[in-house]
Amino acid sequence: ENGRFLDMPVHYNETVGLDRLVSAYFCYAQSRKSYLIIDTGTFTTIDSVDIKGFNGGYILPGLNTLEKTYVNGSLLEIPDSINTKLSFNFPDTTEKAIHQGAILSFLAPIKEVITQTSPSNTLITGGNGELLYNYLYSQKSSLFRLDASIQLDQNLIHNALLEIAIRNN
């Protein structure tokens, strides 16, 4: 054990971001159940929290970061109004190929973590949270246990900070 955040044990070194700790604490304090917390912003973090506390997790490039990586290697620009659904029809333009490749690169490692950990509770937040939630929910029967819970909370960090403020007053 490397430390504590409020009353939650933290099994990670001091480099963990405060945003990750706050979200994990919210889940820990609410129910002490096992959670996989997926925050899809500039980076995508996939963290584990359970009755033992914050167990660490992964930091992956976010969808927009992946798309910028593709664009940096070419003269193409991704339009602002992009199709955010993964298509399994092979793309027929370079722009579609880049966008669909970025979405696939975004979803594949998340699917792999879910497959390997079989979480009972998954909480999704962040800028691409709705896209991820819709995709995972559509795959629920093949990816998750029958009793698994998948929730989208776009206000997770705000709810967590409010919970901490209330507990500390």
Side-chain angles (χ1 to χ4, degrees), residues 1-5 8-16 54-55:
E1 181 175 335
N2 291 317
R4 299 185 81 70
F5 180 75
M8 178 181 69
V10 176
H11 310 285
Y12 200 96
N13 71 16
E14 65 279 353
T15 62
V16 65
F54 179 75
N55 301 309

Side-chain angles (χ1 to χ4, degrees), residues 4-63:
R4 299 185 81 70
F5 180 75
L6 301 172
D7 63 342
M8 178 181 69
V10 176
H11 310 285
Y12 200 96
N13 71 16
E14 65 279 353
T15 62
V16 65
L18 195 55
D19 55 338
R20 294 170 68 196
L21 280 177
V22 166
S23 295
Y25 180 76
F26 181 73
C27 292
Y28 178 82
Q30 291 291 312
S31 66
R32 308 270 167 125
K33 291 181 184 175
S34 172
Y35 274 92
L36 194 65
I37 304 166
I38 306 174
D39 188 344
T40 64
T42 303
F43 290 91
T44 297
T45 57
I46 307 172
D47 290 319
S48 168
V49 64
D50 61 22
I51 196 162
K52 294 178 270 180
F54 179 75
N55 301 309
Y58 301 96
I59 301 174
L60 307 166
L63 179 57

Side-chain angles (χ1 to χ4, degrees), residues 4-167:
R4 299 185 81 70
F5 180 75
L6 301 172
D7 63 342
M8 178 181 69
V10 176
H11 310 285
Y12 200 96
N13 71 16
E14 65 279 353
T15 62
V16 65
L18 195 55
D19 55 338
R20 294 170 68 196
L21 280 177
V22 166
S23 295
Y25 180 76
F26 181 73
C27 292
Y28 178 82
Q30 291 291 312
S31 66
R32 308 270 167 125
K33 291 181 184 175
S34 172
Y35 274 92
L36 194 65
I37 304 166
I38 306 174
D39 188 344
T40 64
T42 303
F43 290 91
T44 297
T45 57
I46 307 172
D47 290 319
S48 168
V49 64
D50 61 22
I51 196 162
K52 294 178 270 180
F54 179 75
N55 301 309
Y58 301 96
I59 301 174
L60 307 166
L63 179 57
N64 298 345
T65 302
L66 288 165
E67 286 183 334
K68 286 177 186 170
T69 300
Y70 278 94
V71 172
N72 286 342
S74 73
L75 299 176
L76 298 171
E77 287 190 31
I78 300 296
D80 289 335
S81 58
I82 52 179
N83 177 11
T84 56
K85 293 187 187 285
L86 179 63
S87 169
F88 287 102
N89 296 324
F90 283 100
D92 57 4
T93 70
T94 301
E95 288 83 359
K96 288 178 187 174
I98 288 173
H99 180 67
Q100 290 297 301
I103 291 177
L104 188 60
S105 297
F106 169 68
L107 294 174
I110 296 169
K111 279 180 64 173
E112 183 63 19
V113 171
I114 289 167
T115 300
Q116 295 299 321
T117 60
S118 191
S120 54
N121 299 289
T122 300
L123 187 56
I124 300 167
T125 192
N128 286 304
E130 189 172 353
L131 177 151
L132 180 61
Y133 173 80
N134 290 335
Y135 175 76
L136 292 178
Y137 196 81
S138 74
Q139 303 291 308
K140 186 175 183 199
S141 62
S142 62
L143 271 180
F144 293 91
R145 303 179 347 201
L146 289 177
D147 63 342
S149 166
I150 307 171
Q151 300 170 17
L152 174 65
D153 183 351
Q154 293 291 45
N155 297 310
L156 176 61
I157 195 77
H158 302 102
N159 293 332
L161 289 170
L162 178 61
E163 178 72 23
I164 290 169
I166 290 169
R167 285 177 180 262

